[in-house]
Amino acid sequence: MPLPLRVAELTGFDLLLSVAKLGGIGAAARAHGISQPAASARIQQLEARVGVALVERSPRGSRLSEAGALVADWARPVVEAAADLEAGIAALRGKRDTHLHVAASLTVAEYLLPKWLAALRTVSPATAVALTSGNSSEVAHQVLSGEADLGFVEGPELPSGLHAETLTMDELELVVSPAHPWARRRRRIRPEQLASTPLVSRERGSGTRRALELALAPHRLADPMLELSSTTAIKAAVMEGIAPAVLGARTVATELASGTLVAVEVVGADLRRALRVVWPASQTLRGPAADLAAIAARGA
């Protein structure tokens, strides 16, 4: 229920208790870190709300009136309860600010998060971070269920109940082994040809797979040659010549530079996907979660 106006603000009562304990408005003012005129003004405001004189003032100093002593006795457990409430809230905030659970899709977890977490360490050195990785659907579920405070996804679609902010756009690359016929192909691959080719693919729920499905939506996609849940395993399968794959450009940069994989250009399809940070739409980011989101936005 709404608190009555006379007792809704406890600062004046807290100051009155200090006057009773320390024996004067001047001493109470010093204890509260305010000037004596400011303390006198607060006491006068309290007296106006209560409707009786609470402090008797004289050239020798100030002391509580009979009514002031009664009000102080009544106010003491209320002010102490408010102090207990503040201590409890501070403890909850301390728990929040020293523990952060992050869920991230594989691309972000492997190639971007390490440097972001290193930056967070300099901003919030006391924060212990727990990281879980999975596909974008799994990350979204963890954030929605409260298992994770913050999530990083690469999928184009999100369930309702999540707030998302785009960090950067990630290019997808069609890659093959150096021995694959497409590695020596001069003409670029058309979307219909890519769609009809069985690929080494991520599992359903992966942001990479869903982005490719949407990019090739006008065409019927062939069933995957092989489904794997690890980017490293997919790259190894492609190197062995099992089939081509479409992976994030960041994940194959080393292999393309060394020549163990070859990029094949695709024309007529938008092979990009957004890397996004997500959290429950009903919440406002605070503490280390807000710090990490800001670091990611700057660093992506």
Side-chain angles (χ1 to χ4, degrees), residues 13-291:
F13 292 104
D14 190 25
L15 185 61
L16 184 69
L17 291 173
S18 294
V19 173
K21 178 180 179 181
L22 300 174
I25 293 179
R30 289 190 294 273
H32 286 251
I34 59 177
S35 66
Q36 183 166 338
S40 295
R42 289 186 186 180
I43 293 295
Q44 289 170 359
Q45 291 168 1
L46 179 62
E47 289 175 325
R49 291 205 314 272
V50 174
V52 297
L54 301 175
V55 176
E56 294 177 349
R57 299 165 178 84
S58 71
R60 293 177 296 174
S62 304
R63 64 183 184 89
L64 298 191
S65 66
E66 183 177 341
L70 281 174
V71 170
D73 287 341
W74 295 332
R76 186 171 289 104
V78 178
V79 173
E80 290 174 351
D84 291 342
L85 175 61
E86 169 59 24
I89 292 172
L92 289 176
R93 289 174 62 100
K95 182 179 179 181
R96 179 203 70 192
D97 291 349
T98 55
H99 294 82
L100 179 64
H101 187 177
V102 179
S105 59
L106 291 180
T107 297
V108 177
E110 293 181 21
Y111 297 93
L112 295 172
L113 255 181
K115 62 181 179 181
W116 296 346
L117 292 178
L120 178 65
R121 186 74 175 170
T122 65
V123 174
S124 183
T127 299
V129 179
L131 172 63
T132 58
S133 62
N135 63 43
S136 292
S137 293
E138 292 167 344
V139 170
H141 173 74
Q142 288 187 55
V143 175
L144 278 175
S145 67
E147 297 174 47
D149 304 304
L150 195 66
F152 295 93
V153 299
E154 56 200 59
E157 299 167 330
L158 288 173
S160 60
L162 287 180
H163 175 81
E165 293 186 3
T166 297
L167 300 172
T168 187
M169 299 302 295
D170 187 42
E171 298 286 342
L172 296 178
E173 291 274 13
L174 171 61
V175 293
V176 298
S177 74
H180 193 279
W182 287 359
R184 298 178 296 277
R185 183 185 176 94
R186 294 184 178 180
R187 297 179 61 186
R188 295 175 290 182
I189 298 297
R190 298 288 307 174
E192 58 270 20
Q193 186 175 7
L194 179 58
S196 64
T197 302
L199 303 174
V200 182
S201 173
R202 286 285 306 279
E203 78 286 357
R204 293 191 181 278
S206 157
T208 302
R209 178 165 174 167
R210 186 58 184 149
L212 179 63
E213 289 172 346
L214 291 178
L216 302 179
H219 311 284
R220 184 181 181 278
L221 270 66
D223 291 335
M225 177 72 72
L226 183 63
E227 288 188 9
L228 298 169
S229 60
S230 162
T231 301
T232 301
I234 292 175
K235 291 190 289 187
V238 175
M239 291 178 199
E240 290 296 324
I242 293 176
V246 173
L247 294 169
R250 286 178 173 85
T251 70
V252 294
T254 300
E255 290 77 13
L256 293 178
S258 67
T260 54
L261 288 177
V262 176
V264 181
E265 187 175 1
V266 179
V267 63
D270 184 10
L271 295 182
R272 295 182 300 167
R273 42 96 181 266
L275 301 183
R276 292 180 286 179
V277 57
V278 299
W279 62 87
S282 60
Q283 298 179 11
T284 300
L285 284 188
R286 295 185 174 88
D291 292 336

